[in-house]
Amino acid sequence: MATSQDVDYSVRDHTAWLTMNRPGVLNALSKGVFRGLELALASASSDPAVHSIVIRGEGRAFSAGLDVKEVSGFATQKEARDFVYRLVKPFWERFFECEKPILSLVDGPAYGAGAEIVLASDIVIASTRSTFAFSGGRVGALCCISAGLGQFSMIGRKVVEMNLTGAALSAEEARLFGLVNYVEEPGGIENRVAKILDEMRHVSPTSNASFKRIHGSLITARILNVAYKELLRTITSPDFRTGATAFARKEPPEYYK
């Protein structure tokens, strides 16, 4: 399989395991991670031996969200546009087109676009030490998928609040608001995943694929096109320069002066 060094791909017991592998930067979503996830999803989707997919992060985080350092370093509008339309968009298209169940296994922070991967997954298992935030706006960027998808996956008013404030939820709070299915102690999350995967073996793959086709039809091309357009708008805005600079300095940004 063609892939990226930033994403590990393996198959065992008919399940494809996709592991974001940048633990030193909390699995921040770089060009390589978006490309690697898209390629891995393509391989898993087309492999008849794969019945389900699990996404997880290496180390002490699921994903901290967009790689702010990389994205803020784009020198031209074209670089930013290519990032959105040649990497981010293909990843999400592949994700939403996938007809096999996608599980997120979360053990640590899932922020920004990382939290959006969790939101878009079919089933989410989180450890008690996990936290979740749609925090893109805090660096002047945007959690564009959550704006279009959130109301279908969790309590809609909470999605709005999380985006407008950037505030984080604990794992148990995320379960109460519908972002997470199961919360387990860190040592128990793999067992919960194994139990869910075993239960899926008793369900028709055709039925699951059909369910996902229906569920996926709720997300229209129009919504996604607006999302990509607005993501590009934010990451090329003065606010993103302000937010990225503050992020690098580990200071709170000042957007209202």
Side-chain angles (χ1 to χ4, degrees):
M1 181 194 92
T3 187
S4 160
Q5 63 181 3
D6 294 329
V7 175
D8 292 336
Y9 179 89
S10 62
V11 177
R12 66 175 188 269
D13 296 328
H14 301 290
T15 297
W17 293 78
L18 283 55
T19 304
M20 295 176 281
N21 192 20
R22 302 184 74 211
V25 289
L26 302 182
N27 301 313
L29 295 164
S30 61
K31 293 179 181 179
V33 174
F34 276 114
R35 184 181 298 110
L37 286 173
E38 194 270 324
L39 291 171
L41 284 169
S43 292
S45 296
S46 62
D47 186 346
V50 170
H51 300 165
S52 53
I53 299 165
V54 177
I55 301 177
R56 61 184 177 182
E58 185 66 38
R60 59 189 179 91
F62 182 79
S63 173
L66 279 183
D67 188 328
V68 175
K69 182 177 180 180
E70 181 181 78
V71 177
S72 65
F74 293 151
T76 65
Q77 179 89 7
K78 182 180 183 302
E79 280 188 68
R81 177 175 289 277
D82 286 348
F83 173 71
V84 172
Y85 286 98
R86 295 189 178 185
L87 290 168
V88 176
K89 181 183 177 186
F91 160 69
W92 282 116
E93 286 178 340
R94 186 74 67 182
F95 196 108
F96 291 130
E97 289 170 359
C98 180
E99 296 183 355
K100 298 176 182 181
I102 299 176
L103 287 68
S104 274
L105 174 57
V106 185
D107 187 17
Y111 279 22
E116 292 189 300
I117 292 174
V118 172
L119 177 71
S121 296
D122 299 308
I123 299 176
V124 180
I125 304 92
S127 73
T128 51
R129 61 190 174 198
S130 301
T131 51
F132 303 83
F134 298 124
S135 52
R138 290 204 170 184
V139 294
L142 175 69
C143 290
C144 63
I145 298 301
S146 67
L149 177 65
Q151 66 269 30
F152 301 123
S153 300
M154 60 183 295
I155 296 175
R157 294 195 66 83
K158 196 62 182 180
V159 175
V160 174
E161 179 187 344
M162 288 177 70
N163 273 275
L164 297 184
T165 67
L169 298 181
S170 68
E172 185 57 32
E173 288 172 324
R175 188 189 67 80
L176 291 173
F177 286 110
L179 180 57
V180 167
N181 295 80
Y182 297 96
V183 177
E184 305 284 352
E185 292 298 325
I189 53 177
E190 296 265 1
N191 289 336
R192 174 63 70 176
V193 171
K195 182 178 180 180
I196 293 170
L197 293 175
D198 185 61
E199 289 172 345
M200 284 182 179
R201 293 187 177 98
H202 302 290
V203 177
S204 156
T206 303
S207 174
N208 279 345
S210 292
F211 174 85
K212 291 203 63 175
R213 287 184 184 183
I214 298 167
H215 190 63
S217 71
L218 297 171
I219 312 300
T220 66
R222 178 180 175 275
I223 288 174
L224 292 175
N225 287 337
V226 173
Y228 304 135
K229 178 182 177 182
E230 294 303 321
L231 176 60
L232 178 61
R233 174 175 178 259
T234 58
I235 66 172
T236 56
S237 70
D239 280 357
F240 185 60
R241 290 193 290 274
T242 298
T245 299
F247 178 83
R249 294 174 178 172
K250 298 183 179 180
E251 299 173 350
E254 294 185 16
Y255 296 120
Y256 304 96
K257 296 183 181 179

